[in-house]
């Protein structure tokens, strides 16, 4: 699966232009080539991931959801899915402003049934490759999709969720994973606490940070916390760190 993503991302690198062709024609042919290969990679990757999950499911504990078995707790969870680290930094910032009254979990360590013990779950997620989750989020995402397909029950009834979807609007499937995650959680019965919010890095990190701060204020309000008079951008990033963006190439 990783190799398919790398192949797709490689297409973003500028190709050598054929001097015998007009620039516009060369560009149009490049776009068509990318679209065709993107669709093929997307299909192959999905099949590969599903096959892998089927094999792994026979080797690990069952992740089936049973509402009756899960104890209800007044727990707030901050789940991050990151590729470059920005989503984790955002999660830590929220946790700090919640006075530590929320647990941070890497999406790779999360199971669908874990959500049943939560009152509220805030997801901060980037998009990677062909509109997919970061690699560490593949197992949870596939499990959540499988749960949505196999049952019409509202297994997440009583759980409140909010998703901050990081991405770059210059790509066709802007923040695609975060948006799809939110839709699937709601399909499974979760209540949307805050409208799905996209955090766009196309203009730059400061713009993305400002969108995050606006979303964080809604989180603090939902948790009954006092909103600080000033939420400093400098508290989020260390100097010189990169931007988390969607790496989609679907046009």
């Amino acid at each position: 699966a990783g190799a398919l993503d790398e192949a797709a991302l490689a297409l973003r690198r500028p190709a050598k232009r054929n001097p015998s062709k007009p620039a516009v024609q060369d560009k149009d042919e490049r776009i068509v080539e990318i679209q065709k290969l993107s669709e093929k990679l997307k299909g192959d990757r999905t099949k590969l991931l599903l096959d892998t999950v089927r094999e792994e499911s026979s080797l690990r504990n069952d992740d089936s959801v049973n509402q009756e078995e899960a104890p209800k707790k007044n727990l707030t969870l901050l789940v991050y899915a990151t590729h470059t680290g920005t989503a984790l930094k955002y999660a830590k910032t929220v946790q700090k402003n919640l006075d530590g009254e929320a647990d941070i979990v890497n999406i790779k360590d999360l199971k669908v049934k874990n959500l049943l013990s939560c009152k509220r779950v805030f997801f901060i997620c980037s998009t990677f490759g062909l509109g997919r989750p970061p690699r560490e989020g593949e197992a949870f995402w596939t499990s959540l999709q499988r749960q949505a397909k196999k049952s019409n029950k509202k297994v997440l009834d009583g759980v409140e969720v909010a998703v901050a979807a990081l991405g770059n609007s210059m790509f066709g499937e802007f923040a695609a994973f975060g948006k799809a995650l939110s839709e699937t959680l709601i399909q499974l019965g979760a209540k949307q606490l805050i409208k799905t919010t996209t955090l766009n890095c196309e203009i730059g990190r400061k713009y993305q940070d400002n969108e995050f701060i606006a979303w964080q204020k809604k989180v603090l309000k939902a948790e009954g916390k006092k909103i600080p008079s000033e939420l400093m951008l400098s508290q989020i990033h260390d100097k010189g760190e990169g931007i988390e963006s969607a790496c989609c190439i679907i046009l």
Side-chain angles (χ1 to χ4, degrees):
L4 291 173
D5 262 336
E6 294 299 334
L9 294 176
L11 287 174
R12 292 180 59 196
R13 304 187 187 103
K16 293 182 179 180
R17 193 174 73 82
N18 186 342
S20 65
K21 294 181 180 180
V24 174
Q25 180 183 349
D26 201 34
K27 181 179 179 181
D28 289 343
E29 291 179 358
R30 179 69 173 165
I31 291 174
V32 172
E33 177 190 353
I34 290 175
Q35 287 176 328
K36 289 180 179 179
L37 185 54
S38 294
E39 290 304 317
K40 183 178 184 303
L41 286 174
K42 192 173 182 180
D44 290 347
R45 191 175 197 277
T46 300
K47 183 179 183 300
L48 176 60
L49 289 168
L50 291 174
D51 289 344
T52 301
V53 169
R54 289 191 192 101
E55 292 176 3
E56 290 180 349
S57 64
S58 64
L59 301 176
R60 64 187 181 185
N61 293 330
D62 180 36
D63 190 28
S64 59
V65 177
N66 188 329
Q67 288 177 299
E68 296 179 357
E69 295 178 359
K72 290 291 183 181
K73 298 179 181 178
N74 190 26
L75 178 66
T76 297
L77 208 60
L78 293 166
V79 179
Y80 70 91
T82 189
H83 179 59
T84 65
T86 302
L88 172 58
K89 296 182 191 308
Y90 284 166
K92 288 181 176 179
T93 301
V94 175
Q95 185 188 49
K96 180 179 179 180
N97 287 314
L98 288 175
D99 301 320
E101 297 175 7
D103 293 333
I104 293 180
V105 176
N106 188 330
I107 197 169
K108 74 180 179 66
D109 299 319
L110 187 68
K111 292 182 179 294
V112 179
K113 60 186 177 184
N114 296 150
L115 302 178
L116 298 182
S117 62
C118 301
K119 179 180 180 181
R120 295 191 179 109
V121 185
F122 299 101
F123 290 87
I124 305 174
C125 305
S126 65
T127 294
F128 180 67
L130 305 174
R132 300 291 304 179
R135 291 176 190 170
E136 291 186 338
E138 290 286 8
F140 173 79
W141 177 230
T142 304
S143 179
L144 189 72
Q145 289 178 302
R146 188 170 62 243
Q147 181 67 41
K149 288 180 179 179
K150 77 177 184 180
S151 174
N152 292 324
K153 295 180 180 179
K154 303 297 183 181
V155 294
L156 296 183
D157 184 36
V159 181
E160 297 178 333
V161 299
V163 177
L166 285 68
N168 187 325
S169 60
M170 72 177 288
F171 299 112
E173 293 191 5
F174 169 50
F177 170 58
K179 295 175 182 177
L181 173 64
S182 180
E183 292 173 1
T184 306
L185 291 168
I186 294 171
Q187 179 185 342
L188 287 170
K191 178 183 177 182
Q192 188 177 54
L193 186 64
I194 301 169
K195 184 179 178 180
T196 302
T197 303
T198 56
L199 310 182
N200 188 5
C201 75
E202 182 183 8
I203 299 176
R205 184 172 69 187
K206 185 175 181 180
Y207 183 84
Q208 187 179 51
D209 287 346
N210 281 326
E211 290 190 318
F212 161 71
I213 288 174
W215 179 78
Q216 182 186 214
K217 287 180 179 179
K218 296 177 182 179
V219 172
L220 297 179
K221 183 178 179 180
E223 288 291 298
K225 292 293 182 179
K226 183 179 179 180
I227 299 175
S229 57
E230 186 174 7
L231 295 171
M232 300 296 292
L233 296 180
S234 60
Q235 296 175 349
I236 300 174
H237 299 283
D238 295 328
K239 186 176 180 181
E241 291 183 332
I243 301 173
E244 185 108 68
S245 67
C247 300
C248 309
I249 65 163
I250 304 296
L251 301 176

